Amino acid sequence: MYSLERPVQGQSSCPKDRLGRKRRTVVSSLTEDEELTEILKSYSSNKVTTTKYSFLSFIPKNLFEQLHRFANIYFIFLAALNFVPVVNAFQPEISIIPILLVLAVTAVKDLWEDYRKHKSDKFINGLVCEIYSRKRQMYVDQRWQDVHVGDFVRLSCNEIIPADMLLLYSSDPHGVCYIETANLDGETNLKQRQVGSELTPENFHSRIECENPNNDLSRFRGFMEYPSKARVGLHNNNLLLRSCTIRNTETVIGIVVYAGHETKAMKNNNGPRYKRSKLERRLNVDVLWSVVLLVIMCLTAAIGHGLWLRNLKDTSFLIPDTTSPALSGFYLFWTMIIVLQVLIPISLYVSIEIVKLCQIFFIQNDVDFYNEYMDSRIQCRALNITEDLGQIQYVFSDKTGTLTENKMVFRRCTIAGVEYPHEENVPDPFLVQKLNCLSSPLFLLRDASMELTYIVDFFMALAICNTVVVSSPNQPRHVVRNISPRSFTRRLFSRGKAASFTPSPSPTPTKLGTEPDGEPNLEASILSIKPGLDGVPGEDGDQGYEEEGEHGSWKGEEDKMLHLNPGAWSVLENSNGGEGPPSEPGADELIYEAESPDEAALVHAARAYRCTLQGRSLERLLVELPGMGSLAVRLLHILPFDSTRKRMSVVVRHPLTNQVVVYTKGADSVIMDLAESPKGAEQSDGRQGHIREQTQKHLDNYAREGLRTLCIAKKVQTSTRHAFAETSIENREELLLESAQRLETNLTLLGATGIVDRLQEEVPETIEALQRAGVKVWVLTGDKQETAINIACACKLLRTTDQLLTANCDSKVNALLLELRTEVERGEAAEGTSGFTLVVDGHTLDFALQEDLKGDFLELSRRCRAVVCCRSTPLQKSHVVQLVRDQLRVMTLAIGDGANDVSMIQVADVGIGISGQEGMQAVMSSDFAISRFKHLRKLLLVHGHWCYTRLANMILYFFYKNVMYVNLLFWYQFFCGFSGSVMTNSWVLIFFNLLFTSAPPLLYGILDKDVSADTLIKLPELYKSGQNSKAYLPSTFWLTMLDALYQSLVCFFIPYFAYAGSDADMLSFGSPINASALLIILLHQVIESRTLTWLHVLVLVGSALFYFSFTLVFSVVCVTCSPPTNPLGVDKLQMSQPLFYGVCALTTVLALLPRYTHQQ
């Protein structure tokens, strides 16, 4: 731990708490100090509330939120305007019904969502944990919501942490606690936490000073001050975060420092993702056009009314009025705004939300997306971009874990320039034979001694250069016992001098912990070693590995022989349990919990060759080597893997030589550069040069086979500067980072590994289907070029008829891009080439993404059928996606499974995460989450196509029916002096679009299928209609408006001519017009629908029956319902006359004939 007193005090940017303090003070809740107690009470309780509303605040708060929508404000304004006497169009009370209904439907939806959150909150707040009670002086059960800052919480294995706690006690003898953060960040690997200071509630009198609550999961700064004023620094490894789970630890005790909404988990809880879809942006434009159309119609009516009044000669039938024609026209403009308000589809936005929720329901419940092995299904995290799935033009995919299984299987390795296969999980017999030399009663080192040392070091690196946690079904975690290696094993690995060991011919029983020679027993002895680097040289003055021996040739070792008689090996076998597997209980059932599948594959490979990682603690590792038993390896430091260094290293005290050794594994492009021999060594002999040459040859072969490659190297550290960094308290991390560069240079190359990562099932079929659908697929990977090309061939991204273009250079990229572009142009003119696939490495991509080369790079890649970017960093991935999205103005989709894919997933229009082997960070940053790449095929080609076409057609239908009905009211103005009168009663006018014709388009948007799922899968080319937005083009919108205009003319003027010269009054004239309009609008949808089920028939017939039932009842019972008009008996009389039905039938047929003919 390190002191953070100065950073905490000096941080001017540190957020302040509710009382204005820049840092938080935490003491025990058992304190009797009133001032400190008041401070604790000022902090948030642990009760969590994710709901928006309370019982009292629901109506005002929900109404306030809905008023943020411009459409709602617009309709409230119109309802209020109708209360102004000079401009009102009908009864003011009726005008508020539409907006009230829309607000009520939205409120009910919000209330239902909030109630679900309330149930979840109630369950979480009611969970039970153990809290130390001041009164009872013991731990008692308390609900989570009753936990407060300063409380002591005791947790057992597999319990969830209720609040952010500082770890004070762990049942682990080394003060270590293991937690699983899957509920927080999705990572399933275990993470270590260390006791900050060993204290119990009874003797805790310290004060904790830490930073105020924030959302940084990787940082915690503070210190603990004891009563003696001594301070101990606190950091992130001392903090247990809410929502994490205790693993592999029997009991832990902590003091709560952040509770409830102040915990880091709640600070990072941002809820569902919301984006604006492309279709929604198009909709907003058309709504503006509707507003323009509304203003034009109202201006026309206002001008017409003014001219009509000015030219009117006989005004005896008018009420005397001194208002001027111009002012009357101005008043009429607002009256017409109220009358024609339905031109703006008030219910469209609510309908879209309902349809999208139903679409998400169908997607989530598609059984084809269910993964039985993982017991998972698709997750729709973004609620409002389902239609974007049907318009994707570019797919950017990660390789490892996305196209492949990310379940690594060890296939090959090369050690000291010699290759060893590992086919079908069967260890290479020659390599096993060489390792068995360690267990042989008599063997000669001669030519093989140096090679054997390389082999042991290689497998030692595989076993310990990782962060793997070891456990078993019977034991939560394998704890390292401090075991002292025998002196003969040290001498065995002493190079440069002969070594011999001659114990007594036959072992005799001795007391536990000793052997006949008096040396400690490997299995029973315990050695207490304090942390640090203050080791001693090996026995007999042995200084360990000598630099000369490191780089000597295989020859010249004839004088170095080890003579062991059978008695010596009987001692070894007794200590190791024979030559078979380790003799510890449950050793065969070891469970390795690794951060990545690569680490697990390497540890399992080492174990297959009997180099077994048996246990891990914060300071030591327990490794069993063949013929040597269990060895305790002092772990001095870990340099974790990161995307910049592309390697990982561990610094250990070698158990055999007592030297400080750095074991490194990483990408071959990095390790090969770092594996430089000391000056003059390669001149003395060519061993390392030969190893490098052979290893590179094997790496190239592995890449061509599609294997993932890692290089393994080591270095004997002689400098003490890193020791100073390890033992420093002040600026420890900074010193470690500075020394990392020195540690990872001049490495000795040991060998390399080849790991196979099989393609997921149906990946080639999925990519082929996407390409047939017109989707361009790019693969962005960090793997080397040969591996990426091999995978591209395997998944049919690169076809045999394609011409491969490679862009690999460190300079003159402009000339290269122009040359490749010229080659593409020549290939397009020639015959026999189906397409081009461009392969770009990371260095070239850096240049290509520069401002002056972006255009050339995009022009070249646009002409290629596929692009593979290899050796690319996470930042490069996001820049590529952003470049294509912004410059080409296309719809992009990014899919990945790891934390390195998060940036490109967030940049793309649609981000998809795969819940695989690399945690859930990609999933948590995505819009949709699937478990297999093959699911992308149906998600886009079927559900994406359906969601887009359904929603596009529904929106156009809403515009159509509103414009068609509003035009009927507008045409009537030409026959009533542009007075704002309507030929129907106000109730029917308001309910026509709101109730009578609202349900059918909802069903249309939810269930309509223009093409079946099987056909869409078989014919991916059908997806191109969505890419080109054919269902909703500007031309489509205006054609729909023209169709609505034509139908309104037919629907108005056929009844007009039919009733011309009769004694029909205004309402009698409007009755067949309303009935015809309803039938035209409903049957128009029947013509447009591709799917007709009993549910469609039920809704369509039900809507018609609802209208006729309502108008009949209304005309029978209503006497004063719609002043100043009186609809009593009007519809009843009209529906009893044959002319009514004849007009309705003729009008409906003539109005729909062009639409029906066009569809046929």
Side-chain angles (χ1 to χ4, degrees), residues 847-1061:
F847 290 104
L849 293 175
Q850 293 177 3
E851 195 65 36
D852 55 336
L853 295 177
K854 284 181 180 179
D856 294 332
F857 173 67
L858 278 177
E859 181 61 27
L860 174 62
S861 59
R862 189 178 61 83
R863 296 188 174 197
C864 294
R865 199 174 57 85
V867 177
V868 178
C869 299
C870 52
R871 295 295 192 194
S872 53
T873 65
L875 188 61
Q876 285 178 327
K877 291 182 180 182
S878 64
H879 284 169
V880 167
V881 176
Q882 187 173 11
L883 176 66
V884 173
R885 185 198 66 187
D886 296 341
Q887 298 296 323
L888 298 183
R889 298 185 180 277
V890 292
M891 290 293 292
T892 58
L893 180 149
I895 179 170
D897 73 317
N900 60 332
D901 304 316
V902 168
S903 55
M904 76 169 181
I905 286 175
Q906 293 178 331
V907 165
D909 294 297
V910 178
I912 295 186
I914 290 187
S915 50
Q917 306 294 317
E918 293 190 17
M920 301 287 284
Q921 290 191 33
V923 168
M924 297 176 71
S925 304
S926 66
D927 303 311
F928 300 88
I930 57 180
S931 58
R932 310 295 284 175
F933 184 82
K934 67 176 182 179
H935 294 160
L936 192 63
R937 182 182 184 182
K938 186 173 185 181
L939 182 62
L940 296 187
L941 302 186
V942 178
H943 287 285
H945 176 84
W946 283 346
C947 289
Y948 169 70
T949 55
R950 287 168 176 171
L951 209 56
N953 291 333
M954 188 195 77
I955 291 172
L956 288 173
Y957 182 77
F958 257 97
F959 280 117
Y960 149 77
K961 74 183 185 71
N962 285 17
V963 171
M964 188 269 187
Y965 189 72
V966 162
N967 276 331
L968 298 176
L969 306 177
F970 181 69
W971 303 139
Y972 184 70
Q973 301 307 309
F974 288 89
F975 300 93
C976 68
F978 297 98
S979 61
S981 300
V982 292
M983 68 289 187
T984 183
N985 68 74
S986 53
W987 289 90
V988 173
L989 175 65
I990 292 298
F991 286 160
F992 191 88
N993 277 301
L994 196 62
L995 295 180
F996 302 145
T997 60
S998 60
L1002 282 179
L1003 197 66
Y1004 185 38
I1006 295 171
L1007 295 180
D1008 191 57
K1009 295 180 181 179
D1010 59 336
V1011 186
S1012 67
D1014 291 338
T1015 304
L1016 289 170
I1017 292 293
K1018 293 177 182 176
L1019 298 174
E1021 293 81 5
L1022 295 173
Y1023 184 79
K1024 294 179 181 179
S1025 62
Q1027 291 176 325
N1028 302 323
S1029 301
K1030 287 185 178 179
Y1032 195 174
L1033 293 168
S1035 58
T1036 311
F1037 172 78
W1038 291 112
L1039 284 174
T1040 302
M1041 296 299 101
L1042 288 175
D1043 192 21
L1045 178 65
Y1046 163 77
Q1047 291 184 11
S1048 67
L1049 288 169
V1050 172
C1051 188
F1052 181 84
F1053 284 101
I1054 287 182
Y1056 174 78
F1057 289 117
Y1059 286 89

Side-chain angles (χ1 to χ4, degrees), residues 52 341 600 610 753 866 869 943 952 1032:
K52 290 182 181 179
Q341 62 178 289
R610 297 174 59 201
T753 61
C869 299
H943 287 285
Y1032 195 174

Side-chain angles (χ1 to χ4, degrees), residues 765-797:
E765 293 81 358
T766 301
I767 290 181
E768 184 181 16
L770 291 176
Q771 289 181 329
R772 287 176 57 191
V775 178
K776 288 196 173 183
V777 182
W778 290 31
V779 173
L780 312 178
T781 177
D783 284 335
K784 61 189 304 183
Q785 181 173 304
E786 293 81 359
T787 304
I789 293 175
N790 184 278
I791 293 295
C793 292
C795 66
K796 294 186 179 179
L797 183 66

Side-chain angles (χ1 to χ4, degrees), residues 113 194 379 750 1100 1110:
E113 291 179 352
Q194 184 72 26
Q379 300 177 37
L750 299 175
L1100 290 169
F1110 177 84

Side-chain angles (χ1 to χ4, degrees), residues 52-53 60-69 72 110:
K52 290 182 181 179
Y53 315 108
K61 192 171 182 179
N62 185 263
L63 184 60
F64 176 76
E65 288 181 350
Q66 293 201 54
L67 290 180
H68 281 75
R69 294 181 178 178
N72 290 342
D110 292 341

